Amino acid sequence: MIKDELLNAELYYRLSERLKIGFEWLKNTELNEINDGKYNIEGENVYANVQTYETKEDAKYEAHQKYIDIQYMIKGEEKIGVCALKDCNLCIEYDENKDIEFLNNNNKDNWQFLNEGEFLVLFPNDAHKPSISLNNKLVVKKAVVKVKID
């Protein structure tokens, strides 16, 4: 997992050309102005889902096998539980078409707080439960850039 502000994204370009492409899209797109939906950046190798939603009290952990997530907060704030995949128990089998499985974590939650202008990079070994309210439910806008693993 990596947490930082978008203005520091260039520090992570050398990790992967596809990560660089995803970060460049975030930096060069008027994110406050675009509609919710899927945006193809480089076909199925790099694409973004932009979503406006209300944060929630709790959720299941999720993990992906084919894609890295860059979760970027456009507007609002939320907390995201993050833990090692190895510390979780499977509760809903992996769906290869959606590249997602759902998990339970019996250990203490490790919370990351995602504020406007910040991102989390979540790798396949990072189980995560996004969209959680800090205190009260809040409507947020977030982009999740999906980066296919090389």
Side-chain angles (χ1 to χ4, degrees):
M1 178 203 77
I2 300 169
K3 182 180 184 226
D4 207 336
E5 296 180 12
L6 190 57
L7 55 94
N8 295 325
E10 289 181 26
L11 296 170
Y12 309 102
Y13 285 8
R14 66 178 178 237
L15 295 177
S16 157
E17 182 63 25
R18 290 180 183 158
L19 276 174
K20 177 182 176 182
I21 291 166
F23 282 127
E24 284 292 308
W25 183 83
L26 288 168
K27 288 171 59 176
N28 296 316
T29 304
E30 293 293 331
L31 296 168
N32 283 310
E33 306 299 321
I34 65 173
N35 293 323
D36 288 4
K38 182 177 178 180
Y39 293 85
N40 288 319
I41 302 167
E42 189 182 85
E44 290 300 306
N45 290 328
V46 184
Y47 64 91
N49 292 314
V50 176
Q51 313 160 45
T52 302
Y53 57 87
E54 186 175 84
T55 57
K56 50 195 170 194
E57 290 182 25
D58 201 12
K60 297 270 186 218
Y61 278 85
E62 61 185 62
H64 314 289
Q65 295 179 16
K66 298 177 189 175
Y67 287 88
I68 297 166
D69 279 1
I70 305 172
Q71 298 204 9
Y72 175 72
M73 186 57 67
I74 300 166
K75 183 175 180 178
E77 60 186 10
E78 70 182 33
K79 61 184 181 179
I80 299 176
V82 181
C83 68
L85 181 62
K86 66 179 180 57
D87 293 335
C88 294
N89 300 316
L90 186 67
C91 65
I92 299 176
E93 293 286 328
Y94 177 71
D95 183 330
E96 188 171 350
N97 293 327
K98 295 180 180 178
D99 186 39
I100 195 165
E101 61 188 336
F102 292 95
L103 311 130
N104 290 317
N105 173 17
N106 298 326
N107 298 325
K108 184 178 178 182
D109 289 319
N110 173 18
W111 294 110
Q112 297 296 320
F113 298 90
L114 196 58
N115 298 299
E116 290 179 23
E118 295 179 335
F119 66 83
L120 277 175
V121 177
L122 298 159
F123 297 93
N125 62 331
D126 296 319
H128 52 282
K129 63 174 173 178
S131 312
I132 307 300
S133 304
L134 271 70
N135 295 309
N136 299 313
K137 291 183 179 182
L138 177 69
V139 175
V140 302
K141 185 173 184 180
K142 184 167 77 173
V144 178
V145 177
K146 305 293 282 184
V147 177
K148 192 168 187 180
I149 297 168
D150 295 326

